[in-house]
Amino acid sequence: MLFLKAKIQRNWWLFKSAGLTVPEILNVFLNKCIYGLTWFIYSLQALFKTGETAAIIGYNRHMPKKITGTQIKRALIVYIHQAFYKENFVGRMKYYFSNNGAPLSIVQAFNELGYEADIIQADNFNFKIRKSYDIFFYHLPEAYEIFKPQLIEQTTTIFFETVAYWRTVLANLQKRNDEFNRQKDLNIVSSDLANYKRIEAQSEKVDAGIAAADGIMVMCDQTVGSFDHFKNVYKLGSAAMPDPYYKKDLNTNKLCQNRRNFLFFGGGVDNIRKGLDLLLESFIGSPNHLYICSAVQPFIKKIYKISEKPNIHLIGYVKINSQKFYRIIEICGFVIQPSCAEGI
């Protein structure tokens, strides 16, 4: 009951904070309907083929027509299957960034290389493998131990990570958490630090699940180096997402006016991991302005008295591609992301 209440409260905050126009609300509602219908179709197909519903089976939307019959190979993708329920969204109120876009792009690449994909959620460890796969692509190291015995020996295994190596993240988080508490004379434990401590408790299993992969794919220049002690590590470069609905005014005078305005987009709820406390330390009392498009934890608001700072603008959640989103990026000259885990 408490979980349901917290979910309702968060969704209500998201809705109020987004500040959508009436057409945008209608667009979002239509896409929610598309999401539900797509989920129903994929779930029904999976039920008939496997007896399970939390999966997308036989995805081949981007398969070249010239690849047929025995030329088609199979890949099991253990990452984020819900992203595919959003693939048919319409209108401006859709975006394929981060966890929405990465799974779609990854599976599209596999399709184009001749792989038909079965897709399940990263932590769906109850899925029963009923066929042979040429590729096993996974995001959580624990998945290797669970699924490897069910795969044929010839299956190529690929581990995919979007942040730095977990020990690096843990060390960075611990350092930031300790420094924050030392400066503020507090005893706060970052929520993500607690999560990484739980990973540390099963470190042998986690490291074994990474090291056993035939290949390790890591996103971004800043994070790939933390995996140097592993073999067969490959970097995926950052990418830009085009927006056909918006064109930024690149007038030199306007760009000069905006050079003191910085935008912080922080997904997740752990402000210390994302470095928001460091930004507030730097911006408060300076001539620069910080626009925060993120949830801010209560203790951060209280300690830094954000509501009293004229150059700190607490925007809250902003939906990408909305008019509110465009207004904010129009006045900001830079995006700043001092995360201790992710790269850019």
Side-chain angles (χ1 to χ4, degrees):
M1 191 67 182
L2 290 175
F3 172 78
L4 180 60
K5 182 180 179 182
K7 192 172 182 64
I8 292 173
Q9 288 176 338
R10 175 165 174 76
N11 285 335
W12 178 241
W13 173 79
L14 290 173
F15 177 76
K16 289 196 303 180
S17 179
L20 301 179
T21 64
V22 172
E24 289 172 344
I25 292 173
L26 294 174
N27 193 171
V28 170
F29 176 76
L30 176 58
N31 284 338
K32 292 287 185 182
C33 294
I34 292 173
Y35 182 101
L37 179 61
T38 308
W39 166 84
F40 178 77
I41 293 172
Y42 277 135
S43 298
L44 201 59
Q45 289 174 344
L47 180 64
F48 284 131
K49 293 179 180 179
T50 68
E52 303 182 40
T53 57
I56 297 171
I57 305 299
Y59 185 94
N60 59 5
R61 183 169 185 170
H62 306 284
M63 183 82 69
K65 293 182 179 179
K66 63 182 180 181
I67 300 178
T68 58
T70 57
Q71 295 177 305
I72 298 175
K73 294 166 283 188
R74 294 192 181 97
L76 176 60
I77 312 297
V78 188
Y79 187 23
I80 303 176
H81 77 293
Q82 293 102 324
F84 293 84
Y85 305 152
K86 306 175 183 181
E87 188 174 18
N88 297 315
F89 280 7
V90 298
R92 178 162 49 83
M93 300 308 297
K94 62 180 178 182
Y95 66 97
Y96 300 116
F97 170 74
S98 188
N99 290 338
N100 287 320
L104 295 173
S105 297
I106 289 166
V107 175
Q108 179 177 341
F110 275 119
N111 274 180
E112 292 173 351
L113 290 170
Y115 291 87
E116 184 179 80
D118 292 347
I119 309 152
I120 62 173
Q121 193 64 14
D123 59 355
N124 183 3
F125 299 146
N126 295 319
F127 181 78
K128 301 300 180 185
I129 293 179
R130 297 173 173 85
K131 64 179 79 167
S132 60
Y133 291 101
D134 300 282
I135 294 283
F136 171 54
F137 182 97
Y138 62 104
H139 179 54
L140 297 180
E142 306 94 292
Y144 184 91
E145 181 184 45
I146 293 168
F147 289 114
K148 178 58 178 175
Q150 304 178 53
L151 299 167
I152 62 174
E153 186 177 350
Q154 296 85 351
T155 302
T156 299
T157 56
I158 301 173
F159 173 69
F160 174 64
E161 185 56 275
T162 58
V163 300
Y165 174 50
W166 72 268
R167 290 185 189 274
T168 302
V169 178
L170 174 60
N172 291 344
L173 263 174
Q174 187 70 68
K175 182 179 179 181
R176 283 195 178 184
N177 198 96
D178 292 346
E179 182 64 17
F180 179 85
N181 284 330
R182 186 188 66 79
Q183 290 183 356
K184 306 302 178 185
D185 194 22
L186 295 169
N187 190 30
I188 288 170
V189 178
S190 155
S191 58
D192 278 358
L193 177 60
N195 291 334
Y196 275 92
K197 287 287 189 181
R198 284 191 284 271
I199 294 174
E200 185 180 35
Q202 49 180 342
S203 58
E204 289 187 11
K205 181 188 294 187
V206 172
D207 282 343
I210 300 173
D214 295 312
I216 300 171
M217 298 176 65
V218 185
M219 292 189 67
C220 307
D221 295 317
Q222 297 92 336
T223 57
V224 69
S226 64
F227 287 87
D228 280 348
H229 53 295
F230 290 101
K231 297 179 180 179
N232 301 322
V233 179
Y234 303 89
K235 181 192 73 175
L236 290 178
S238 300
M241 185 177 67
D243 183 350
Y245 299 99
Y246 173 76
K247 184 175 181 181
K248 187 174 177 67
D249 186 351
L250 297 179
N251 178 277
T252 303
N253 292 333
K254 194 162 189 178
L255 291 176
C256 289
Q257 292 172 7
N258 296 340
R259 72 184 187 278
R260 292 195 178 278
N261 297 335
F262 292 77
L263 174 59
F264 171 76
F265 265 111
V269 296
D270 193 321
N271 295 155
I272 292 178
R273 167 177 171 160
K274 298 295 184 178
L276 180 57
D277 58 309
L278 302 180
L279 291 180
L280 292 170
E281 295 279 357
S282 301
F283 276 83
I284 290 175
S286 81
N288 301 312
H289 288 254
L290 180 64
Y291 292 79
I292 304 172
C293 294
S294 162
V296 179
Q297 292 169 284
F299 71 89
I300 293 288
K301 290 181 182 178
K302 182 178 179 180
I303 290 170
Y304 292 102
K305 300 179 181 178
I306 292 177
S307 61
E308 301 175 13
K309 309 303 179 185
N311 67 323
I312 307 297
H313 309 276
L314 184 54
I315 308 298
Y317 171 73
V318 176
K319 200 165 184 64
I320 293 178
N321 291 5
S322 67
Q323 291 296 336
K324 184 176 181 179
F325 171 76
Y326 292 147
R327 287 195 298 270
I328 292 169
I329 62 174
E330 188 65 36
I331 62 174
C332 290
F334 304 94
V335 173
I336 185 166
Q337 300 285 0
S339 169
C340 69
E342 294 87 358
I344 298 177

